[in-house]
Amino acid sequence: MDSGMNKKWGRSITDAVKAAIEGSATIIQLREKDADTGDFLEAARACLKICRLHGVPLVVNDRIDIALACDADGVHEGQSDMPAHVARTLLGPEKIIGVSCKTQQHAQQAWRDGANYIGCGRVYPTNTKANNFTIALFDRECVTTETKRLHTVQTGRNEQ
Ligand SMILES: Cc1ncc(COP(=O)(O)OP(=O)(O)O)c(N)n1
Ligand SMILES: Cc1ncsc1CCOP(=O)(O)O
């Protein structure tokens, strides 16, 4: 979920979260790429309120400080973000930690570091992140079957 993207579509981030939950989402990630810290925190608090009402966990992309500030359920970190073992130390044993992985080595390291899930992709193009190469479905299977643990897969968006 991203406030800027949803604004373009004429809806608020909270409406988007409600719609996702009505559509059976079982976990929500708040991924604000351009928001100021104060706006990000405000969005996180608003989304968390809805998520808590429905018993759906909310993870914050990249920003451990935001996750700690609003007591979100966890974070999602990329390969060049906060290492998962440091995130685990900061967040404690109960929070959810997801890690973006494109190779078996990434995945094995993520599990060693205490990740709860890996995000393996992207499989289709997206324009929400530059310099992020696409991996084939076959590669994704290699990463995820090797590690036999919980993973997500990304479909990609291509918004104009
Ligand atoms: C579930 C999930 N998987 C992968 C990503 C991508 O994370 P990252 O590579 O760190 O890129 P940004 O999202 O930070 O642009 C993700 N966010 N969620
Ligand atoms: C950068 C990235 N890589 C895999 S998922 C993801 C986050 C957002 O993907 P999308 O733009 O498809 O919502």
Side-chain angles (χ1 to χ4, degrees):
M1 296 284 163
D2 170 323
S3 297
M5 191 77 82
N6 277 289
K7 204 169 173 186
K8 272 202 237 163
W9 297 331
R11 67 181 183 190
S12 66
I13 186 77
T14 48
D15 284 344
V17 170
K18 281 180 205 154
I21 293 173
E22 276 163 21
S24 305
T26 54
I27 185 165
I28 305 280
Q29 180 188 142
L30 184 60
R31 179 174 178 260
E32 298 283 12
K33 298 307 287 182
D34 301 314
D36 291 338
T37 295
D39 292 338
F40 197 157
L41 181 57
E42 195 182 317
R45 286 188 169 136
C47 293
L48 195 56
K49 214 168 171 177
I50 297 162
C51 286
R52 288 273 149 85
L53 272 178
H54 295 88
V56 170
L58 178 83
V59 300
V60 175
N61 187 50
D62 293 345
R63 296 283 301 271
I64 293 187
D65 56 339
I66 300 279
L68 285 168
C70 68
D71 194 27
D73 298 290
V75 292
H76 184 92
E77 300 295 335
Q79 288 297 317
S80 54
D81 299 325
M82 188 71 81
H85 67 95
V86 182
R88 179 59 72 209
T89 304
L90 293 169
L91 292 173
E94 303 302 330
K95 298 291 186 185
I96 299 166
I97 296 176
V99 178
S100 301
C101 297
K102 289 188 192 291
T103 66
Q104 288 177 16
Q105 287 73 22
H106 288 168
Q108 284 157 352
Q109 186 64 49
W111 301 136
R112 274 198 295 275
D113 282 355
N116 299 95
Y117 73 88
I118 61 169
C120 181
R122 58 193 162 82
V123 172
Y124 299 104
T126 177
N127 64 0
T128 71
K129 186 178 175 75
N131 306 320
N132 180 28
F133 66 87
T134 301
I135 66 168
L137 278 170
F138 170 77
D139 295 329
R140 173 196 162 248
E141 285 308 315
C142 290
V143 174
T144 55
T145 54
E146 164 76 9
T147 59
K148 294 188 180 56
R149 302 272 295 269
L150 184 61
H151 64 275
T152 66
V153 64
Q154 291 75 48
T155 54
R157 296 178 297 186
N158 197 12
E159 301 306 322
Q160 299 313 311

